[in-house]
Amino acid sequence: MTSEVVENECEFYSKAEKYWKDVPATVDGMLGGYGHISSIDINSSRKFLQRFLRDGPNRTGTTRALDCGAGIGRITKRLLLPLFKTVDMVDVTEDFLTKAKSYLGEEGRRVRNYFCCGLQDFSPEPNSYDVIWIQWVIGHLTDNHLSDFLKRCRAGLRPNGIVVIKDNMAQEGVIMDDVDSSVCRDLDVVRKIIRRAGLHLLAEERQENFPDEIYHVYTFAMR
């Protein structure tokens, strides 16, 4: 539980904001020096997502997606814009969203909104998104704020829409990272928070072909 490792909630959030203000607005900066894994990450995410976009009675639509913790738009550019008509981006760091406008190029015209906001304070517009993609950012939310945010995401989905979390998973318990002021939870803790938010897991997958020295990464789809 984050209540056991986060001593001061305000400090937890302000330290994270300060950390990201000093990170270069590059793909390598977004990935903590692991820019070389970006293509492996995107290709796996695309395969995972496309199983929900295929034809069928419960097919997820492709009208609008939301990229949470979007940074400069790495996922928006390479995963979401090729699959969805429009994309919204939300990130706490204004400089990253400013950089996104040039990084995304011509296709960036299909980004409707750039929301500068921490996810603990962000509410997706109700009944608006086919996919809400949340990658490498849940560690910056306390358990209660993550659960509440997921509830708001649930309300933000269109019919047959899905919420996707892709993130690092600890081997056991909750581990604090004082450098970027984030936590890493184990699978059981994340599943409990998902259930607490009233969401039902549709799929869960471990990322393959990442470097051995980093945390295991899992992707969850839910609605």
Side-chain angles (χ1 to χ4, degrees), residues 8-191:
N8 182 318
E9 198 176 272
C10 289
E11 195 176 282
F12 174 67
Y13 286 112
S14 64
K15 271 179 74 177
E17 278 195 49
K18 187 174 183 301
Y19 170 84
W20 285 105
K21 278 198 170 86
D22 294 332
V23 168
T26 62
V27 169
D28 210 42
M30 300 303 97
L31 294 176
Y34 282 88
H36 59 284
I37 69 170
S38 186
S39 290
I40 298 168
D41 168 57
I42 295 289
N43 290 338
S44 298
S45 295
R46 188 181 300 112
K47 280 182 194 159
F48 182 89
L49 187 50
Q50 279 177 328
R51 71 175 88 166
F52 298 97
L53 306 181
R54 292 191 192 114
D55 289 339
N58 297 316
R59 185 178 79 86
T60 298
T62 54
T63 301
R64 194 169 166 205
L66 174 66
D67 185 358
C68 299
I72 63 168
R74 181 185 71 91
I75 291 162
T76 290
K77 182 182 177 102
R78 298 194 51 200
L79 176 68
L80 300 177
L81 281 172
L83 295 172
F84 296 88
K85 289 189 180 73
T86 62
V87 178
D88 287 349
M89 294 169 59
V90 55
D91 196 276
V92 75
T93 307
E94 197 163 352
D95 285 350
F96 294 165
L97 295 174
T98 301
K99 172 69 176 180
K101 289 168 187 173
S102 58
Y103 171 72
L104 294 171
E106 279 294 295
E107 292 299 299
R109 287 178 304 179
R110 292 189 290 112
V111 174
R112 294 178 1 135
N113 295 296
Y114 296 85
F115 298 110
C116 188
C117 187
L119 298 184
Q120 69 275 18
D121 299 316
F122 184 73
S123 293
E125 190 184 329
N127 194 35
S128 293
Y129 297 103
D130 297 297
V131 169
I132 296 178
W133 193 273
I134 309 165
Q135 183 162 347
W136 280 322
V137 68
I138 66 168
H140 286 301
L141 297 174
T142 63
D143 290 354
N144 287 339
H145 280 158
L146 176 54
S147 175
D148 289 346
F149 176 61
L150 290 175
K151 286 175 189 170
R152 298 194 297 274
C153 286
R154 195 180 75 199
L157 293 178
R158 298 178 65 190
N160 297 323
I162 57 169
V163 176
V164 179
I165 288 175
K166 187 170 187 178
D167 222 303
N168 301 335
M169 298 294 138
Q171 291 288 88
E172 189 179 350
V174 180
I175 299 165
M176 182 76 188
D177 184 336
D178 283 323
V179 177
D180 67 356
S181 192
S182 70
V183 296
C184 186
R185 303 168 173 92
D186 70 27
L187 280 166
D188 284 342
V189 173
V190 173
R191 289 188 197 115

